[in-house]
Amino acid sequence: MGNSTHFKVFRLAAYGDIGQLKYCYFAVVTVLYFAIILANALLIGVICIERSLHEPMYLFLCALFVNQLYGSTGLFPALMFYLLSDTHDISLLYCYLQIYVLYSCALTEFSNLAIISYDRYISICYPLRYNNIMTPKIICGLILLSWLTSFFINAVNIFLSLRLKFCGKVLDRLYCDNYSVVKLACSNTMLNNVWGLLVTAVYVSCTIFPTIYSYVRILQICLKSSKETKQKAFNTCTPHIASMLNFLFGCLFVILQGRYETADFPPILRNILFVNFLICPPLFNPFMYGIRMVKIRHACKKVLGLNPKT
């Protein structure tokens, strides 16, 4: 590629000059990061240890928690470093690496949530065929497909960005995101824009629309079913729907913020909303699933030795 850029570093301007407040922010971010690690690692360990949880739905949840740890690692260490640093410059190489990790995490998250909705659809709408459809081979194939697809798509994304020349270096962000980086380019970005629109269209078609269809069909079945079936469907589907809506609205804000002026927002609120989709899902999903889903809750108590003695 050679030296194809005018700038080899970007400046993350969203940190600004926060003075001594940086220590307070650093403490909050550190606590959040360790809470995410502990909560997600606990549920991953419980699902792996407890044989009663070796079922498709819980294996898909395990993949979801692994992805959330992966995405958090792409954000929090850098966030903690730049909060304490006097300079907020990020090298081009690390910027691309962060984009790759965060974007592959986001696409995998959409895929995982779509797979979970499909699993619930088969379980509730076709219970007698569930075990024949959700075989170990299918489970492994779906999990691998979600990861490999996102890795490939973002590899192409990074490859297209490597050819760009940049005439600016200031990113009004707490971390590198692809749209903001491409906006700084002074070379032709048509391929990047076409690829971005294509990926968006494909992922909306292959994840969000099937998810909506799955839950609409589940609702139709539940309206005709017994009270017990409705309660079971409610307990298993509520965390999934809440996770999808939280992540979807977080991503939607990031997309809209990149394309429309949000200068009227207070800086702290804008930054919180901008990192919402990377902080809230890995923080709240483990607690939602751990509290709402009875088998996971009981398994956690068993592993942690919290079961009352009889």
Side-chain angles (χ1 to χ4, degrees), residues 174-188:
L174 293 174
Y175 59 86
C176 282
D177 79 283
N178 189 64
Y179 185 78
S180 298
V181 169
V182 171
K183 281 174 64 177
L184 296 178
C186 47
S187 49
N188 194 321

Side-chain angles (χ1 to χ4, degrees), residues 189-239:
T189 61
M190 186 183 69
L191 282 176
N192 301 72
N193 296 331
V194 170
W195 179 250
L197 290 173
L198 179 62
V199 169
T200 301
V202 169
Y203 256 78
V204 168
S205 302
C206 296
T207 60
I208 297 177
F209 288 159
T211 300
I212 294 173
Y213 173 80
S214 297
Y215 287 122
V216 168
R217 290 289 294 129
I218 289 171
L219 179 61
Q220 291 173 340
I221 294 295
C222 288
L223 291 176
K224 303 175 185 178
S225 303
S226 65
K227 184 177 180 180
E228 183 181 351
T229 302
K230 290 178 183 178
Q231 187 62 39
K232 181 181 177 182
F234 178 78
N235 287 337
T236 58
C237 293
T238 301

Side-chain angles (χ1 to χ4, degrees), residues 246-262:
N246 179 47
F247 189 70
L248 184 60
F249 284 125
C251 291
L252 185 62
F253 177 82
V254 172
I255 293 171
L256 293 177
Q257 185 183 14
R259 288 154 178 78
Y260 299 98
E261 184 59 47
T262 57

Side-chain angles (χ1 to χ4, degrees), residues 290-305:
I291 293 172
R292 292 291 308 176
M293 306 189 78
V294 176
K295 289 186 72 172
I296 291 182
R297 186 165 69 244
H298 288 170
C300 286
K301 289 181 179 180
K302 180 181 176 181
V303 170
L304 296 174

Side-chain angles (χ1 to χ4, degrees), residues 157-176:
N157 186 39
I158 295 300
F159 176 77
L160 292 175
S161 296
L162 284 171
R163 48 180 267 284
L164 299 178
K165 295 182 179 181
F166 299 99
C167 297
K169 63 179 292 187
V170 179
L171 296 171
D172 189 22
R173 296 288 184 267
L174 293 174
Y175 59 86
C176 282

